[in-house]
Each structure stands twice: as structure tokens, then as C-alpha cells.
Amino acid sequence: TLAVLLRMFAALIFLCALPFIHAANLVPCSPMVLTKADTFTKGGVSYEKQVVDTTVPIEIEFNVDPLLQIKKLKWTLNGGPIDVDEDETKSAVYWKRDSHRLVLVIRHPKQTYIGDWEVRIIPENDGPEETRGCQLQ
């Protein structure tokens, strides 16, 4: 009957979409994006809106094995690749390392940096790759 055909069609659509579903369930990053109230005027009417405070840098820490020698890092934001420079303190987004952690630094936070951050760590000795991530809110 028609109901059975509709259920079969729905199941087919679900099975076709399954490979494209990405449920990262990342933990929230610490710290979070700071916001501030900003006043706007539109059509003669003034109103306040919460906007990202671009003056307060964000440092997100990812723990790593201190003995791990890193060959390459591949960063993604919301599933898409993003360029993150190493130790380039003049860049908008860069990373640095100390003995036991990677630190992602966002010098001038903005709305586009909110979301799921992931770093894929490719080790120097061809060991297994590792992934770290969190959700910047």
C-alpha cells in the first residue's frame, strides 16, 4: 500500500544520507567566546545586540604526549580545512606548543570562529594519527 511505500522510501533516503551524517559530539572548549553588548540603529530605532568581543584573545588547549614528535597538524573548523600558522603571533589564528599541550590562539575572535575545532596530529615516526577537538561556543 501507499503507507508501506512511503516507509520504504523514507528508509532509502535515510540509508543514502547516513554516510554524510557527522555527529562529533565534541566537548565544549574552555574558554568560551566572550560577547559584549553593542548598540545599533536601524530605521531610526536603536537596539542592543550581543556581539563577539574581538579584543579578548582565546587560547584553547589540547593535551598531547610530551614525547610525541609532530610531523604535521591538519586543522578543521566545522568540518572544513582552515589554515593555522605555527608560532606566527601576528596571524589571526596560530598554534604553539609547550611540553604537554598544543595551544590554539585566536587573536581576534569573531563569529566565524565559533563551532567545532579539530586537529589531526600526524606524528614524525609514522605512528598512528591522533585527533583532538572541542566545540567553541
Side-chain angles (χ1 to χ4, degrees):
T1 67
L2 182 60
V4 173
L5 287 174
L6 287 175
R7 281 191 209 125
M8 289 175 46
F9 182 70
L12 179 66
I13 295 295
F14 176 74
L15 289 174
C16 290
L18 196 56
F20 302 101
I21 296 173
H22 177 72
N25 294 332
L26 296 174
V27 296
C29 296
S30 180
M32 295 173 49
V33 173
L34 296 180
T35 60
K36 63 179 181 177
D38 210 350
T39 304
F40 297 90
T41 303
K42 186 173 185 176
V45 178
S46 294
Y47 62 96
E48 281 193 357
K49 180 179 176 182
Q50 289 292 325
V51 296
V52 173
D53 188 347
T54 61
T55 63
V56 181
I58 297 172
E59 291 192 3
I60 303 169
E61 299 177 3
F62 300 99
N63 291 327
V64 293
D65 181 348
L67 301 177
L68 180 65
Q69 294 182 353
I70 298 172
K71 180 178 185 178
K72 187 174 187 177
L73 297 178
K74 292 188 177 184
W75 295 90
T76 60
L77 172 59
N78 295 323
I82 184 168
D83 289 330
V84 178
D85 298 318
E86 180 180 3
D87 293 323
E88 282 294 327
T89 58
K90 293 183 180 180
S91 294
V93 180
Y94 67 95
W95 69 275
K96 58 186 179 180
R97 182 176 183 178
D98 65 19
S99 63
H100 64 282
R101 63 194 176 129
L102 296 173
V103 181
L104 174 67
V105 180
I106 304 173
R107 285 185 50 228
H108 300 287
K110 51 187 175 178
Q111 185 76 27
T112 56
Y113 295 135
I114 294 175
D116 296 339
W117 281 91
E118 290 187 332
V119 58
R120 196 169 89 215
I121 304 167
I122 302 166
E124 193 71 49
N125 61 358
D126 295 326
E129 294 182 4
E130 299 179 21
T131 301
R132 305 281 188 277
C134 65
Q135 185 178 65
L136 185 58
Q137 302 173 345

